[in-house]
Amino acid sequence: MLTQRIAEGAYPVGAVMPSEVELAGHFGVSRSTVRAALDALQRAGMISRRRNAGTRVESSRPLRGPESYNQTLATVEDVAQYGAETERRVQQVDSEVVDDTLAALLGCPSGQTWLRVSSLRCPRGEAATPLCWTDVYVAPTFAPLVREKIADYPGLVSTLIEEFAGHRTAEIRQRITAIGVPRRLAAALRARPGASALEITRTYLDAKGKRFLLSRSIHPADRFVYESRLRRQPASGGV
């Protein structure tokens, strides 16, 4: 019932759905039936649910596979929600001397040492196929904190820094590039080397515009769908 209503646009992508009580009354079913339907929609990637923020429509159709991920990202909080709904499996934590290319992205001098956290991001479940490989680069100021806490912290690194150091993300700049799966990551991602993939680079800035974190994720193309909404601005003045 809900799948069809979403597909028909009754609950458009980005909209907050009615509560369980309201849906139960509208369709004449029990809350447990509604809850089961919402659970299925969430597993299919069509909705996301966040405490105190309700249920939001993320896709007008089910994902292409059970081990894909679909997300509409419009705010800093949306990125944090992605971290809450998936699982990080740390592969390596190490110091890295920044080269010229990375220094340009980080806004720091070449040769500076940042902490690199390399991990697989997966749906929750022991045998789940990885959604992506992510390298997170952490500014020297926060490197000791992240190195100490990362093994037991389930959320994103940016959330860890905010929670334990009080340093908030004010802006995220995102770049998406089409690439092939790097040969060095193919086995970990269970993907064919050179297969189509998306590279998503996110640069995290604080309230002063200073870059303190950067993540670079490689998503095999069949495991991630990115949706956004574009709205025309209302005309100002005139007819």
Side-chain angles (χ1 to χ4, degrees):
M1 57 179 178
L2 288 176
T3 302
Q4 182 178 351
R5 296 286 286 166
I6 292 173
E8 292 172 346
Y11 307 122
V13 173
V16 176
M17 296 182 64
S19 68
E20 289 182 3
V21 172
E22 292 170 324
L23 288 170
H26 178 77
F27 290 104
V29 298
S30 67
R31 283 190 66 183
S32 61
T33 299
V34 170
R35 190 174 299 115
L38 292 175
D39 286 342
L41 289 174
Q42 187 171 21
R43 288 194 299 271
M46 294 182 68
I47 64 170
S48 64
R49 288 187 282 183
R50 189 185 307 167
R51 184 177 297 176
N52 299 324
T55 299
R56 191 172 69 174
V57 179
E58 300 292 353
S59 175
S60 60
R61 62 189 187 281
L63 299 181
R64 289 171 285 180
E67 292 176 328
S68 300
Y69 192 86
N70 182 291
Q71 183 71 55
T72 301
L73 302 176
T75 67
V76 171
E77 289 74 20
D78 290 338
V79 176
Q81 180 69 9
Y82 169 73
E85 293 177 354
T86 58
E87 178 182 1
R88 178 179 53 245
R89 299 178 183 174
V90 176
Q91 305 296 300
Q92 185 180 29
V93 179
D94 203 0
S95 298
E96 182 164 324
V97 177
V98 174
D99 61 19
D100 291 343
T101 301
L102 192 55
L105 291 173
L106 297 174
C108 72
S110 179
Q112 193 174 74
T113 300
W114 285 49
L115 183 70
R116 174 175 50 79
V117 178
S118 299
S119 59
L120 291 168
R121 180 66 66 175
C122 305
R124 298 193 180 278
E126 289 296 325
T129 299
L131 295 169
C132 67
W133 176 281
T134 301
D135 291 315
V136 177
Y137 297 89
V138 184
T141 302
F142 305 109
L145 170 66
V146 173
R147 186 185 287 274
E148 176 189 356
K149 301 284 189 182
I150 192 63
D152 299 316
Y153 191 80
L156 296 183
V157 177
S158 58
T159 312
L160 185 158
I161 291 173
E162 179 172 341
E163 182 175 341
F164 290 97
H167 199 80
R168 299 190 65 189
T169 301
E171 179 183 348
I172 299 175
R173 296 177 184 173
Q174 178 170 273
R175 183 180 67 186
I176 302 176
T177 308
I179 65 167
V181 173
R183 183 170 296 276
R184 66 183 179 85
L185 301 180
L189 286 170
R190 304 181 203 173
R192 177 176 54 83
S196 298
L198 292 176
E199 180 183 74
I200 301 180
T201 302
R202 295 189 179 115
T203 306
Y204 293 72
L205 294 82
D206 61 21
K208 295 181 179 180
K210 185 175 181 179
R211 307 173 200 184
F212 66 97
L213 196 71
L214 180 139
S215 69
R216 180 176 287 160
S217 300
I218 309 295
H219 296 262
D222 60 343
R223 302 178 200 170
F224 189 86
V225 178
Y226 183 87
E227 294 188 358
S228 61
R229 292 176 293 155
L230 305 177
R231 294 183 176 179
R232 186 182 297 277
Q233 289 187 341
S236 58
V239 177

